[in-house]
mmCIF file of all heavy atoms in Angstrom:
data_model
loop_
_atom_site.group_PDB
_atom_site.id
_atom_site.type_symbol
_atom_site.label_atom_id
_atom_site.label_comp_id
_atom_site.label_asym_id
_atom_site.label_seq_id
_atom_site.Cartn_x
_atom_site.Cartn_y
_atom_site.Cartn_z
ATOM 1 N N GLU A 33 -3.116 -10.462 1.690
ATOM 2 C CA GLU A 33 -2.012 -10.366 0.728
ATOM 3 C C GLU A 33 -1.000 -9.305 1.158
ATOM 4 O O GLU A 33 -1.357 -8.262 1.698
ATOM 5 C CB GLU A 33 -2.570 -10.022 -0.654
ATOM 6 C CG GLU A 33 -1.517 -9.951 -1.725
ATOM 7 C CD GLU A 33 -2.090 -9.732 -3.116
ATOM 8 O OE1 GLU A 33 -3.313 -9.546 -3.264
ATOM 9 O OE2 GLU A 33 -1.282 -9.748 -4.063
ATOM 10 N N VAL A 34 0.274 -9.597 0.930
ATOM 11 C CA VAL A 34 1.345 -8.651 1.242
ATOM 12 C C VAL A 34 1.718 -7.887 -0.021
ATOM 13 O O VAL A 34 1.955 -8.485 -1.072
ATOM 14 C CB VAL A 34 2.581 -9.389 1.813
ATOM 15 C CG1 VAL A 34 3.733 -8.425 2.022
ATOM 16 C CG2 VAL A 34 2.217 -10.077 3.118
ATOM 17 N N LEU A 35 1.748 -6.557 0.088
ATOM 18 C CA LEU A 35 2.064 -5.680 -1.038
ATOM 19 C C LEU A 35 3.199 -4.746 -0.649
ATOM 20 O O LEU A 35 3.492 -4.573 0.529
ATOM 21 C CB LEU A 35 0.857 -4.817 -1.411
ATOM 22 C CG LEU A 35 -0.427 -5.516 -1.801
ATOM 23 C CD1 LEU A 35 -1.557 -4.502 -1.904
ATOM 24 C CD2 LEU A 35 -0.256 -6.248 -3.117
ATOM 25 N N MET A 36 3.794 -4.112 -1.653
ATOM 26 C CA MET A 36 4.715 -3.009 -1.419
ATOM 27 C C MET A 36 3.925 -1.748 -1.751
ATOM 28 O O MET A 36 3.345 -1.640 -2.830
ATOM 29 C CB MET A 36 5.944 -3.113 -2.325
ATOM 30 C CG MET A 36 6.935 -1.989 -2.122
ATOM 31 S SD MET A 36 7.798 -2.055 -0.557
ATOM 32 C CE MET A 36 8.889 -3.437 -0.849
ATOM 33 N N VAL A 37 3.857 -0.824 -0.794
ATOM 34 C CA VAL A 37 3.116 0.420 -0.965
ATOM 35 C C VAL A 37 4.128 1.558 -1.049
ATOM 36 O O VAL A 37 4.904 1.762 -0.115
ATOM 37 C CB VAL A 37 2.142 0.645 0.218
ATOM 38 C CG1 VAL A 37 1.355 1.929 0.026
ATOM 39 C CG2 VAL A 37 1.200 -0.544 0.371
ATOM 40 N N SER A 38 4.131 2.275 -2.166
ATOM 41 C CA SER A 38 5.064 3.381 -2.360
ATOM 42 C C SER A 38 4.307 4.696 -2.275
ATOM 43 O O SER A 38 3.322 4.909 -2.979
ATOM 44 C CB SER A 38 5.755 3.277 -3.719
ATOM 45 O OG SER A 38 6.460 2.054 -3.797
ATOM 46 N N VAL A 39 4.775 5.581 -1.384
ATOM 47 C CA VAL A 39 4.178 6.898 -1.175
ATOM 48 C C VAL A 39 5.297 7.912 -1.350
ATOM 49 O O VAL A 39 6.239 7.917 -0.564
ATOM 50 C CB VAL A 39 3.573 7.030 0.235
ATOM 51 C CG1 VAL A 39 2.896 8.385 0.409
ATOM 52 C CG2 VAL A 39 2.599 5.903 0.530
ATOM 53 N N GLY A 40 5.199 8.733 -2.382
ATOM 54 C CA GLY A 40 6.294 9.667 -2.651
ATOM 55 C C GLY A 40 7.576 8.895 -2.887
ATOM 56 O O GLY A 40 7.620 7.981 -3.707
ATOM 57 N N SER A 41 8.623 9.208 -2.112
ATOM 58 C CA SER A 41 9.903 8.502 -2.282
ATOM 59 C C SER A 41 10.075 7.383 -1.260
ATOM 60 O O SER A 41 11.139 6.781 -1.171
ATOM 61 C CB SER A 41 11.065 9.500 -2.149
ATOM 62 O OG SER A 41 11.044 10.074 -0.855
ATOM 63 N N THR A 42 9.030 7.082 -0.490
ATOM 64 C CA THR A 42 9.103 6.074 0.567
ATOM 65 C C THR A 42 8.319 4.826 0.186
ATOM 66 O O THR A 42 7.250 4.925 -0.409
ATOM 67 C CB THR A 42 8.508 6.642 1.877
ATOM 68 O OG1 THR A 42 9.182 7.849 2.194
ATOM 69 C CG2 THR A 42 8.648 5.670 3.023
ATOM 70 N N SER A 43 8.857 3.671 0.537
ATOM 71 C CA SER A 43 8.132 2.415 0.333
ATOM 72 C C SER A 43 8.013 1.681 1.659
ATOM 73 O O SER A 43 8.911 1.748 2.494
ATOM 74 C CB SER A 43 8.860 1.524 -0.676
ATOM 75 O OG SER A 43 8.809 2.097 -1.953
ATOM 76 N N SER A 44 6.895 0.992 1.832
ATOM 77 C CA SER A 44 6.661 0.205 3.036
ATOM 78 C C SER A 44 5.919 -1.055 2.639
ATOM 79 O O SER A 44 5.119 -1.047 1.703
ATOM 80 C CB SER A 44 5.816 1.013 4.025
ATOM 81 O OG SER A 44 5.477 0.228 5.155
ATOM 82 N N GLY A 45 6.177 -2.121 3.346
ATOM 83 C CA GLY A 45 5.377 -3.323 3.154
ATOM 84 C C GLY A 45 3.998 -3.075 3.741
ATOM 85 O O GLY A 45 3.833 -2.240 4.633
ATOM 86 N N GLY A 46 3.015 -3.763 3.247
ATOM 87 C CA GLY A 46 1.663 -3.625 3.778
ATOM 88 C C GLY A 46 0.874 -4.895 3.575
ATOM 89 O O GLY A 46 1.119 -5.643 2.630
ATOM 90 N N ARG A 47 -0.056 -5.149 4.503
ATOM 91 C CA ARG A 47 -0.921 -6.329 4.399
ATOM 92 C C ARG A 47 -2.360 -5.854 4.219
ATOM 93 O O ARG A 47 -2.818 -4.985 4.945
ATOM 94 C CB ARG A 47 -0.800 -7.191 5.656
ATOM 95 C CG ARG A 47 -1.607 -8.473 5.578
ATOM 96 C CD ARG A 47 -1.387 -9.365 6.790
ATOM 97 N NE ARG A 47 0.010 -9.752 6.955
ATOM 98 C CZ ARG A 47 0.597 -10.793 6.346
ATOM 99 N NH1 ARG A 47 -0.100 -11.543 5.513
ATOM 100 N NH2 ARG A 47 1.852 -11.080 6.558
ATOM 101 N N VAL A 48 -3.044 -6.441 3.237
ATOM 102 C CA VAL A 48 -4.443 -6.096 2.976
ATOM 103 C C VAL A 48 -5.289 -6.647 4.127
ATOM 104 O O VAL A 48 -5.325 -7.850 4.347
ATOM 105 C CB VAL A 48 -4.928 -6.674 1.627
ATOM 106 C CG1 VAL A 48 -6.397 -6.337 1.390
ATOM 107 C CG2 VAL A 48 -4.066 -6.166 0.482
ATOM 108 N N ARG A 49 -5.929 -5.745 4.876
ATOM 109 C CA ARG A 49 -6.742 -6.142 6.031
ATOM 110 C C ARG A 49 -8.204 -6.346 5.652
ATOM 111 O O ARG A 49 -8.869 -7.221 6.193
ATOM 112 C CB ARG A 49 -6.634 -5.110 7.151
ATOM 113 C CG ARG A 49 -5.308 -5.134 7.843
ATOM 114 C CD ARG A 49 -5.143 -6.449 8.563
ATOM 115 N NE ARG A 49 -3.824 -6.545 9.176
ATOM 116 C CZ ARG A 49 -3.257 -7.687 9.487
ATOM 117 N NH1 ARG A 49 -3.858 -8.826 9.240
ATOM 118 N NH2 ARG A 49 -2.070 -7.699 10.033
ATOM 119 N N SER A 50 -8.722 -5.501 4.758
ATOM 120 C CA SER A 50 -10.118 -5.676 4.339
ATOM 121 C C SER A 50 -10.311 -5.076 2.957
ATOM 122 O O SER A 50 -9.551 -4.207 2.527
ATOM 123 C CB SER A 50 -11.077 -5.034 5.344
ATOM 124 O OG SER A 50 -10.876 -3.641 5.411
ATOM 125 N N LEU A 51 -11.315 -5.578 2.272
ATOM 126 C CA LEU A 51 -11.651 -5.132 0.917
ATOM 127 C C LEU A 51 -13.147 -4.872 0.845
ATOM 128 O O LEU A 51 -13.936 -5.656 1.371
ATOM 129 C CB LEU A 51 -11.288 -6.218 -0.107
ATOM 130 C CG LEU A 51 -9.810 -6.550 -0.217
ATOM 131 C CD1 LEU A 51 -9.622 -7.879 -0.920
ATOM 132 C CD2 LEU A 51 -9.094 -5.449 -0.966
ATOM 133 N N LYS A 52 -13.521 -3.758 0.204
ATOM 134 C CA LYS A 52 -14.939 -3.442 0.040
ATOM 135 C C LYS A 52 -15.058 -2.588 -1.209
ATOM 136 O O LYS A 52 -14.515 -1.495 -1.265
ATOM 137 C CB LYS A 52 -15.449 -2.693 1.265
ATOM 138 C CG LYS A 52 -16.924 -2.410 1.243
ATOM 139 C CD LYS A 52 -17.341 -1.746 2.544
ATOM 140 C CE LYS A 52 -18.810 -1.416 2.514
ATOM 141 N NZ LYS A 52 -19.221 -0.713 3.732
ATOM 142 N N ALA A 53 -15.738 -3.091 -2.215
ATOM 143 C CA ALA A 53 -15.897 -2.401 -3.503
ATOM 144 C C ALA A 53 -14.516 -1.960 -4.002
ATOM 145 O O ALA A 53 -13.655 -2.803 -4.220
ATOM 146 C CB ALA A 53 -16.862 -1.240 -3.388
ATOM 147 N N ASP A 54 -14.303 -0.658 -4.150
ATOM 148 C CA ASP A 54 -13.001 -0.193 -4.652
ATOM 149 C C ASP A 54 -12.109 0.334 -3.531
ATOM 150 O O ASP A 54 -11.156 1.066 -3.780
ATOM 151 C CB ASP A 54 -13.200 0.872 -5.733
ATOM 152 C CG ASP A 54 -13.899 2.115 -5.221
ATOM 153 O OD1 ASP A 54 -14.454 2.058 -4.101
ATOM 154 O OD2 ASP A 54 -13.891 3.132 -5.922
ATOM 155 N N LEU A 55 -12.399 -0.048 -2.271
ATOM 156 C CA LEU A 55 -11.580 0.364 -1.130
ATOM 157 C C LEU A 55 -10.810 -0.825 -0.568
ATOM 158 O O LEU A 55 -11.361 -1.919 -0.454
ATOM 159 C CB LEU A 55 -12.452 0.928 -0.005
ATOM 160 C CG LEU A 55 -13.023 2.323 -0.193
ATOM 161 C CD1 LEU A 55 -13.954 2.653 0.966
ATOM 162 C CD2 LEU A 55 -11.922 3.347 -0.285
ATOM 163 N N ALA A 56 -9.562 -0.595 -0.218
ATOM 164 C CA ALA A 56 -8.761 -1.623 0.454
ATOM 165 C C ALA A 56 -8.155 -0.985 1.694
ATOM 166 O O ALA A 56 -7.629 0.124 1.640
ATOM 167 C CB ALA A 56 -7.656 -2.126 -0.460
ATOM 168 N N LYS A 57 -8.258 -1.662 2.829
ATOM 169 C CA LYS A 57 -7.607 -1.205 4.053
ATOM 170 C C LYS A 57 -6.291 -1.965 4.144
ATOM 171 O O LYS A 57 -6.277 -3.194 4.203
ATOM 172 C CB LYS A 57 -8.490 -1.497 5.260
ATOM 173 C CG LYS A 57 -7.938 -0.955 6.556
ATOM 174 C CD LYS A 57 -8.938 -1.177 7.688
ATOM 175 C CE LYS A 57 -8.484 -0.513 8.945
ATOM 176 N NZ LYS A 57 -9.494 -0.677 10.019
ATOM 177 N N ILE A 58 -5.180 -1.206 4.110
ATOM 178 C CA ILE A 58 -3.851 -1.814 4.101
ATOM 179 C C ILE A 58 -3.094 -1.361 5.342
ATOM 180 O O ILE A 58 -2.949 -0.160 5.590
ATOM 181 C CB ILE A 58 -3.074 -1.429 2.826
ATOM 182 C CG1 ILE A 58 -3.845 -1.902 1.590
ATOM 183 C CG2 ILE A 58 -1.669 -2.015 2.854
ATOM 184 C CD1 ILE A 58 -3.260 -1.442 0.269
ATOM 185 N N GLU A 59 -2.633 -2.321 6.133
ATOM 186 C CA GLU A 59 -1.854 -2.028 7.337
ATOM 187 C C GLU A 59 -0.375 -2.055 6.961
ATOM 188 O O GLU A 59 0.138 -3.071 6.488
ATOM 189 C CB GLU A 59 -2.151 -3.073 8.410
ATOM 190 C CG GLU A 59 -1.443 -2.819 9.715
ATOM 191 C CD GLU A 59 -1.815 -3.855 10.758
ATOM 192 O OE1 GLU A 59 -2.937 -4.391 10.728
ATOM 193 O OE2 GLU A 59 -0.961 -4.141 11.599
#
Side-chain angles (χ1 to χ4, degrees):
E33 182 175 5
V34 175
L35 302 170
M36 180 70 72
V37 181
S38 301
V39 183
S41 62
T42 305
S43 292
S44 175
R47 183 176 301 275
V48 178
R49 288 295 176 202
S50 63
L51 296 163
K52 184 176 178 183
D54 62 347
L55 285 175
K57 185 175 186 177
I58 300 173
E59 183 178 330

